[in-house]
Amino acid sequence: WLVVNPIFTLVLYVPIQLSGAYHKGELPTFERILFEFLIFSLVEEVLFYYSHRILHHPKFYAKLHKQHHEWTAPIGITSVYCGSFEMVVSNLLPVAVGPLIMQSHIFVAWTWFALAIFSTTLAHGGYHVPFLFSPESHDYHHKTFNCWYGTLGILDKLHKTDR
């Protein structure tokens, strides 16, 4: 984690600069920020669901994802307990692509990244915090390994992996 994240950030620096994203200047409106968060959430749902489901395929699971599932009753830090490939493909890219596509202001992107870290820590934390998403479906995923691959549950419902 301490090696992969800085390298990932450096690799993304060029596309960020070329896209014109992360400009300095006036903050977007609150409505714009909410709209971007909606887009980010949908992009993350699609990219995380499919990358995560592929990692559960028998050809890839043992080599690429089993380490993460050593914890059948996860705790917060297990959200980043994985190999480098999984960290990039399934954890970092799904969160980073939305702000890149939207050419988001740096404040919006950083706020989104902080929310994503909080959300994945909460999903692996085992505690149901009132008024926030429940970690129960992800806890069940760590127990059974064959359901609840997404972040929002939209694609789990569509593909009937919400059981």
Side-chain angles (χ1 to χ4, degrees):
W1 184 84
L2 291 173
V3 174
V4 173
N5 284 1
I7 292 171
F8 183 79
T9 302
L10 289 173
V11 168
L12 280 183
Y13 180 77
V14 172
I16 288 168
Q17 292 301 314
L18 292 174
S19 74
Y22 303 137
H23 54 83
K24 296 178 184 176
E26 196 170 309
L27 289 175
T29 65
F30 182 70
E31 292 81 10
R32 175 66 189 197
I33 293 171
L34 289 180
F35 173 72
E36 288 192 20
F37 280 5
L38 172 66
I39 300 300
F40 300 166
S41 297
L42 295 174
V43 167
E44 181 186 18
E45 171 74 357
V46 169
L47 295 178
F48 183 76
Y49 178 89
Y50 291 113
S51 65
H52 190 197
R53 189 156 181 191
I54 288 168
L55 287 172
H56 277 265
H57 188 279
K59 287 185 178 184
F60 306 115
Y61 182 78
K63 280 186 157 182
L64 300 175
H65 193 53
K66 187 175 181 178
Q67 175 184 349
H68 180 73
H69 278 277
E70 289 176 10
W71 293 77
T72 55
I75 59 173
I77 194 65
T78 61
S79 63
V80 293
Y81 181 63
C82 60
S84 300
F85 180 81
E86 178 181 355
M87 176 60 90
V88 171
V89 171
S90 192
N91 294 346
L92 297 176
L93 277 176
V95 174
V97 168
L100 278 173
I101 291 170
M102 297 300 294
Q103 297 183 350
S104 300
H105 189 281
I106 193 165
F107 171 78
V108 178
W110 283 358
T111 303
W112 171 249
F113 299 150
L115 286 171
I117 292 167
F118 176 75
S119 175
T120 192
T121 303
L122 183 66
H124 287 85
Y127 293 100
H128 186 160
V129 179
F131 308 109
L132 297 176
F133 290 113
S134 170
E136 291 175 63
S137 60
H138 199 74
D139 285 351
Y140 192 70
H141 169 77
H142 272 262
K143 182 179 177 184
T144 63
F145 310 127
N146 62 357
C147 60
W148 295 109
Y149 299 106
T151 55
L152 300 175
I154 296 168
L155 291 174
D156 285 300
K157 289 192 186 315
L158 179 70
H159 294 293
K160 302 201 181 338
T161 55
D162 60 339
R163 315 212 186 291

